[in-house]
Amino acid sequence: MPASLAAVKRRLESTKNTRQITAAMNMVSTAKLNQIQGHTKTYEVYADRVKSVLISLVKSHNATLKNGVSDDKDHLGTLFTKRPVKKTGILVVTSDRGLVGSYNSNVIKATLDKMKKAGLDKDNTVFLTVGRTGTEFFKKRGMNVVFESTGISDVPTYRETHDIVKNAVQMYADGVYDQLLLSYSHFVNRIVSRDRVELVLPISAESLALQEDTEATKIVGAEYDLEPDLPQLIGKLVPQFAESLVYGAILDAKTSEHASSANAMSAASDNADEIISTLQLQYNRARQAAITTEITEITGGMTAQE
């Protein structure tokens, strides 16, 4: 077999093997996506109910929210209290591995764009990172990473992310930072994801969506007797609501990660199919040329003997 023909054959076999791997990874990512979507829908029911009850309790308590600042700070606690921003915390959610297309780079780019727009730098910003990619990126650039977490499972449970969620909220309460931003990829559908950088703490009127006509206000009203008293209930629900925002974003980001991985592997499989088609054509032509050459040489040899 001529050297050129052997080289094409080796590349063709290698590409076919790669095609099998990417197709298998596409199937795995799709299965993970289906699994986490079912888990996320269940959690959203819980998160919405926590939000609804908190909205109703705050309204029943006649707490006035103006620009995210409560006039009833003793009852609503520090998570509602807006204070001068000397230090900003950013919780960045990325993946532990590659092969997820532009998922990680888009999240990091959105984070850096937000920092530039808000005038944030390594001196007035601290990072909480979920995922090895983001952790390594910000550490290599000398950023202050005060908390990091890797090895999150494909369908993370609240218990698994307990330390992340609790630390993010507790650090704000302890004054490690004066506001907490959450940077992650929001899952829209299997094709589309959108990068978000949102203010999580302090809790604002926007995050609670306190409209007068919301159905949530009808769940718990002032006409009910509550045990323990209303301020204590609010004090318990406020941290729970903040934690639900962080955990919900991690679930959302993981969903987007699996979708990005499935799309990337699907695109890689399609590219491999095109390369295989091209190489197969090259191989057939080279093989035909080699056979023609051999026939010509045999015919020439027979003619010479005559």
Side-chain angles (χ1 to χ4, degrees):
M1 184 182 292
S4 59
L5 187 59
V8 173
K9 185 176 182 180
R10 283 196 301 269
R11 188 180 175 194
L12 181 59
E13 291 176 349
S14 175
T15 306
K16 286 182 178 179
N17 291 335
T18 301
R19 171 67 175 79
Q20 290 180 338
I21 294 172
T22 56
M25 294 180 69
N26 180 27
M27 292 176 62
V28 171
S29 295
T30 300
K32 291 177 180 177
L33 176 59
N34 292 335
Q35 185 180 4
I36 197 171
Q37 280 185 291
H39 181 75
T40 302
K41 286 180 181 178
T42 303
Y43 177 75
E44 285 175 349
V45 174
Y46 161 78
D48 288 343
R49 183 51 56 93
V50 171
K51 179 179 178 180
S52 298
V53 173
L54 181 58
I55 290 173
S56 182
L57 289 175
V58 170
K59 280 188 167 291
S60 297
H61 191 52
N62 295 320
T64 302
L65 291 175
K66 296 179 180 179
N67 299 321
V69 182
S70 171
D71 294 332
D72 204 355
K73 296 175 184 177
D74 292 338
H75 290 154
L76 293 181
T78 59
L79 299 184
F80 265 102
T81 305
K82 187 175 181 180
R83 55 192 186 229
V85 179
K86 298 179 181 178
K87 188 80 72 173
T88 297
I90 306 179
L91 196 160
V92 184
V93 185
T94 58
S95 70
D96 288 325
R97 57 184 179 82
L99 301 178
V100 289
S102 59
Y103 171 81
N104 290 316
S105 58
N106 287 343
V107 172
I108 291 173
K109 182 179 182 300
T111 305
L112 296 178
D113 288 345
K114 178 64 176 180
M115 291 179 65
K116 183 177 181 180
K117 185 177 180 180
L120 302 176
D121 53 37
K122 63 181 180 181
D123 296 324
N124 59 14
T125 308
V126 297
F127 287 87
L128 298 85
T129 56
V130 178
R132 184 171 288 106
T133 303
T135 301
E136 293 177 352
F137 178 88
F138 290 108
K139 278 189 172 182
K140 285 180 180 179
R141 283 153 184 78
M143 300 295 182
N144 184 13
V145 179
V146 295
F147 181 87
E148 61 183 87
S149 178
T150 57
I152 298 297
S153 66
D154 294 319
V155 184
T157 62
Y158 180 82
R159 178 173 296 181
E160 183 183 357
T161 61
H162 179 268
D163 287 344
I164 303 170
V165 173
K166 288 289 185 182
N167 274 284
V169 176
Q170 191 59 47
M171 284 183 182
Y172 174 81
D174 293 342
V176 176
Y177 38 77
D178 303 302
Q179 65 176 3
L180 176 64
L181 303 178
L182 192 54
S183 179
Y184 66 102
S185 179
H186 167 60
F187 175 79
V188 178
N189 54 51
R190 291 177 180 245
I191 304 300
V192 179
S193 294
R194 293 194 179 96
D195 302 302
R196 288 182 171 179
V197 184
E198 302 173 334
L199 177 66
V200 179
L201 294 174
I203 297 172
S204 63
E206 289 74 19
S207 63
L208 274 180
L210 284 172
Q211 289 91 18
E212 291 295 334
D213 59 348
T214 178
E215 288 295 321
T217 61
K218 301 176 183 179
I219 295 177
V220 180
E223 67 273 16
Y224 291 95
D225 292 327
L226 300 173
E227 183 68 32
D229 61 17
L230 191 54
Q232 290 186 58
L233 280 177
I234 294 175
K236 292 292 184 181
L237 274 177
V238 168
Q240 199 168 345
F241 172 68
E243 291 165 9
S244 73
L245 293 177
V246 177
Y247 176 60
I250 294 174
L251 277 180
D252 194 3
K254 270 293 181 181
T255 307
S256 179
E257 178 187 335
H258 295 322
S260 296
S261 178
N263 292 334
M265 293 303 99
S266 177
S269 297
D270 292 342
N271 291 336
D273 285 336
E274 293 180 6
I275 294 172
I276 289 170
S277 179
T278 302
L279 289 175
Q280 189 67 61
L281 182 60
Q282 291 179 2
Y283 178 78
N284 292 340
R285 287 177 176 175
R287 186 168 178 270
Q288 184 178 9
I291 292 173
T292 302
T293 301
E294 290 179 3
I295 293 174
T296 301
E297 290 175 352
I298 292 172
T299 303
M302 292 176 63
T303 301
Q305 288 181 356
E306 294 176 357

